[in-house]
Amino acid sequence: MSADPPKIALIGAGKAGTQLGRRLAACGLAPVQVFSRKEEKARHLAEAVGASFTNDLAAVVSDADVYLIAVHDDAIAAVAGTLSTVLSHNPLVAHISGATPSTVLAAPFPRYGVFYPLQTFSEDRTPDFSKIPICIHAPAADDLALLKNLAERLSDSVHVISDEQRAALHIAAVFVNNFVNHLYGIGYRLLTDKGLPFELLLPLIQETAQRVQPDMDPSRMQTGPAARGDHETIARHLDSLRSDSDYHAIYLEMSQSILTLIMNSIQHADRRNH
Amino acid sequence: MSADPPKIALIGAGKAGTQLGRRLAACGLAPVQVFSRKEEKARHLAEAVGASFTNDLAAVVSDADVYLIAVHDDAIAAVAGTLSTVLSHNPLVAHISGATPSTVLAAPFPRYGVFYPLQTFSEDRTPDFSKIPICIHAPAADDLALLKNLAERLSDSVHVISDEQRAALHIAAVFVNNFVNHLYGIGYRLLTDKGLPFELLLPLIQETAQRVQPDMDPSRMQTGPAARGDHETIARHLDSLRSDSDYHAIYLEMSQSILTLIMNSIQHADRRNH
């Protein structure tokens, strides 16, 4: 690894690719080129970061040190396959996905890795990138050092994570992001169905997230009808959700799971005391 | 209603009662007396707000204008029943619960209502009370005006909400607080099982909550395997959750519900276009 910043090509200009490209540029690591199948997206990001752009994988620069693949999971293997026919200078190729094993890059490229920023990216929000955990992995020590150096220039939170760990992390992200957002959506519909403004729930949503602590199991703060075994309230809620089978099923499943957790922790404490 | 601030007695000194009592005092409406079954709790809050205290319902002051009942849901009716044998000056009696109908107070008291601050209260966190929605209800216009006046001195977000609306609000609060917190707990266990620090998920948890907008259905921001119909990832996740029947069931239920929602919105758009 030279003292000069590595030359980076960014393959993909969706939400994650765009935010990553902007952050790279803000940290003095502007990609030399942006690829996107959609020329407009490639151009838009390239102009913002002072890079060239292309919508043709065959025209991707052949002299970058690192290629960051930021395309959808289902396209990573195909894009990598095509890229490998274009690049012959043995670069480091890493994807930025939580869901895809690093090993899909192993067949086309001797030097491969993962550079996964663990966050949900929206078009209209600029995240505080310095706080975003970047989860890196590469089988070769030199390549890992290169990714680590890159990551540490973008974020204060850099973690070496195996493929197996990253798979668990991605499932956990589905629970705390996708599923949580779906619960927010259910809250929205329960309120608007009764003519109530959704904003009533916003302080509760914010506080529920903000009181989560790095070193504490959130279950220790679990409250509500299920946590206190209040069967009467649970039964009343289930009854009023009967007209929507989805909400009813989710309410039941979540309540059962909370009850199970409480029972397990009671049994655990009981075993410890005897 | 006189120009003087109303004399308030606070019946209950748990988490919600304590935060409410402190806020009342901070807004120049310190309760004259605090009751709690647990004398220590009553004393602690009373000393903080300059009130008298008692752990005996028969010793509750008999000349307050408003009695705010801040005890557990399952105790409200009994506490109100006992109070009604002590108070003969026809005061306004309101509980602060989201879950209990106002009408449990109607039998013991001619003047009754609800004064429900919609937030989750912790012992060690001081919420920004000015943002907390206070949901009020009273059948008599004068009583409603009194509660409204009180609420507006504590918060910028005051809402007149019927019992039926409040019931829906409380169910929604269970979804976006209790169930969301349970999903955070699942995230915690998925990570710690793989030796990963829970703090990796915190920026994602915060961002997921912070991007929620007052006027937008959160479902419009729904992402993840279920939202994009990525059956391969869903199947892989379900397979790796097979050892925990709760997580497996929740994953399946939530994914099905998200898929249903997406299908409904596609059908809705299709109908609109034809």
Side-chain angles (χ1 to χ4, degrees), chain A residues 125 178 182 194 207 257, chain B residues 125 164 178 182 207 222 257:
Chain A
R125 292 177 58 87
N178 305 155
H182 188 56
K194 296 288 179 190
E207 172 67 9
S257 178
Chain B
R125 291 175 59 85
E164 187 197 348
N178 304 157
H182 188 55
E207 172 67 9
Q222 190 67 47
S257 178

Side-chain angles (χ1 to χ4, degrees), chain A residues 15 73 99-101 118-122 125 127 131-133 135 157 159 161 164-191 194-226 228 230 233 236-237 240-241 245-258 260-261, chain B residues 15 73 99-101 118-122 125 127 131-133 135 157 159 161 164-191 194-226 228 230 233 236-237 240-241 245-258 260-261:
Chain A
K15 286 180 213 156
D73 284 289
T100 298
L118 174 51
Q119 187 51 287
T120 179
F121 296 103
S122 317
R125 292 177 58 87
K131 301 270 199 308
I132 298 178
C135 305
S157 178
H159 307 264
I161 303 272
E164 186 195 348
Q165 287 176 316
R166 195 161 40 84
L169 204 47
H170 185 244
I171 295 177
V174 168
F175 277 88
V176 306
N177 170 255
N178 305 155
F179 294 169
V180 161
N181 191 69
H182 188 56
L183 294 178
Y184 295 161
I186 292 174
Y188 177 92
R189 282 179 291 285
L190 289 171
L191 262 65
K194 296 288 179 190
L196 291 167
F198 178 51
E199 63 175 288
L200 282 172
L201 289 181
L202 263 55
L204 181 61
I205 285 173
Q206 307 298 348
E207 172 67 9
T208 305
Q210 279 163 26
R211 68 179 183 166
V212 175
Q213 301 297 319
D215 299 318
M216 187 169 74
D217 182 349
S219 303
R220 289 179 51 197
M221 297 182 296
Q222 190 67 48
T223 56
R228 62 174 185 271
D230 178 350
T233 300
R236 197 172 64 239
H237 285 175
S240 71
L241 292 170
S245 62
D246 271 15
Y247 301 174
H248 187 273
I250 289 172
Y251 190 104
L252 193 61
E253 208 59 73
M254 296 291 291
S255 296
Q256 283 173 341
S257 178
I258 293 168
T260 302
L261 193 71
Chain B
K15 286 181 213 155
D73 283 288
T100 298
L118 174 49
Q119 187 51 285
T120 178
F121 295 103
S122 317
R125 291 175 59 85
K131 300 269 197 311
I132 297 178
C135 304
S157 178
H159 307 264
I161 303 271
E164 187 197 348
Q165 287 176 316
R166 195 161 41 83
L169 204 48
H170 185 243
I171 297 177
V174 169
F175 276 90
V176 306
N177 170 254
N178 304 157
F179 293 170
V180 162
N181 191 69
H182 188 55
L183 294 179
Y184 295 161
I186 293 174
Y188 177 92
R189 283 179 290 285
L190 289 171
L191 262 65
K194 295 288 179 191
L196 292 167
F198 178 51
E199 64 174 288
L200 282 171
L201 289 181
L202 262 55
L204 180 61
I205 285 173
Q206 307 297 348
E207 172 67 9
T208 304
Q210 278 162 26
R211 67 179 184 166
V212 175
Q213 302 296 319
D215 299 319
M216 186 169 75
D217 181 350
S219 303
R220 291 179 51 199
M221 297 182 297
Q222 190 67 47
T223 56
R228 62 174 186 271
D230 179 350
T233 300
R236 197 172 62 238
H237 285 175
S240 71
L241 293 170
S245 63
D246 271 14
Y247 301 175
H248 188 273
I250 289 172
Y251 190 104
L252 193 60
E253 208 58 72
M254 296 291 292
S255 296
Q256 282 173 342
S257 178
I258 293 168
T260 302
L261 193 72

Side-chain angles (χ1 to χ4, degrees), chain A:
Chain A
M1 182 171 28
S2 80
D4 291 331
K7 269 178 89 166
I8 298 170
L10 183 56
I11 311 300
K15 286 180 213 156
T18 295
Q19 296 286 0
L20 179 59
R22 289 175 185 274
R23 179 62 179 175
L24 285 165
C27 297
L29 292 163
V32 294
Q33 190 188 40
V34 175
F35 160 87
S36 170
R37 249 186 328 129
K38 296 172 183 154
E39 185 172 348
E40 193 42 44
K41 287 202 166 187
R43 181 203 309 269
H44 188 71
L45 175 57
E47 281 173 358
V49 303
S52 69
F53 65 92
T54 180
N55 68 345
D56 179 4
L57 277 177
V60 162
V61 289
S62 58
D63 64 345
D65 301 305
V66 181
Y67 293 76
L68 292 177
I69 300 185
V71 301
H72 281 149
D73 284 289
D74 51 11
I76 291 175
V79 164
T82 306
L83 263 189
S84 71
T85 65
V86 179
L87 308 175
S88 55
H89 63 304
N90 196 27
L92 173 56
V93 180
H95 71 61
I96 70 159
S97 160
T100 298
S102 64
T103 45
V104 301
L105 302 175
F109 299 105
R111 297 176 55 209
Y112 66 93
V114 175
F115 191 90
Y116 168 43
L118 174 51
Q119 187 51 287
T120 179
F121 296 103
S122 317
E123 256 149 39
D124 54 342
R125 292 177 58 87
T126 306
D128 178 359
F129 222 109
S130 70
K131 301 270 199 308
I132 298 178
I134 302 185
C135 305
I136 55 170
H137 167 72
D142 281 1
D143 294 336
L144 188 63
L146 174 51
L147 292 179
K148 189 155 186 276
N149 182 271
L150 273 186
E152 284 174 348
R153 291 176 71 166
L154 307 191
S155 170
D156 299 329
S157 178
V158 177
H159 307 264
V160 178
I161 303 272
S162 72
D163 270 18
E164 186 195 348
Q165 287 176 316
R166 195 161 40 84
L169 204 47
H170 185 244
I171 295 177
V174 168
F175 277 88
V176 306
N177 170 255
N178 305 155
F179 294 169
V180 161
N181 191 69
H182 188 56
L183 294 178
Y184 295 161
I186 292 174
Y188 177 92
R189 282 179 291 285
L190 289 171
L191 262 65
T192 49
D193 282 356
K194 296 288 179 190
L196 291 167
F198 178 51
E199 63 175 288
L200 282 172
L201 289 181
L202 263 55
L204 181 61
I205 285 173
Q206 307 298 348
E207 172 67 9
T208 305
Q210 279 163 26
R211 68 179 183 166
V212 175
Q213 301 297 319
D215 299 318
M216 187 169 74
D217 182 349
S219 303
R220 289 179 51 197
M221 297 182 296
Q222 190 67 48
T223 56
R228 62 174 185 271
D230 178 350
H231 296 100
E232 207 178 302
T233 300
I234 293 173
R236 197 172 64 239
H237 285 175
L238 284 171
D239 193 50
S240 71
L241 292 170
R242 206 160 293 278
S243 64
D244 191 305
S245 62
D246 271 15
Y247 301 174
H248 187 273
I250 289 172
Y251 190 104
L252 193 61
E253 208 59 73
M254 296 291 291
S255 296
Q256 283 173 341
S257 178
I258 293 168
L259 278 165
T260 302
L261 193 71
I262 304 282
M263 284 311 297
N264 286 347
S265 94
I266 291 172
Q267 285 173 358
H268 184 76
D270 184 56
R271 258 186 245 115
R272 217 172 33 203
N273 292 339
H274 290 92

Side-chain angles (χ1 to χ4, degrees), chain B residues 39-95:
Chain B
E39 186 173 348
E40 193 42 44
K41 285 201 168 187
R43 181 205 309 270
H44 188 70
L45 175 57
E47 281 175 0
V49 303
S52 69
F53 64 91
T54 180
N55 67 345
D56 179 5
L57 277 177
V60 162
V61 289
S62 58
D63 65 344
D65 301 305
V66 182
Y67 293 76
L68 293 176
I69 301 185
V71 302
H72 282 149
D73 283 288
D74 50 11
I76 292 174
V79 165
T82 306
L83 263 189
S84 71
T85 65
V86 179
L87 309 175
S88 55
H89 64 303
N90 196 26
L92 174 56
V93 179
H95 71 61

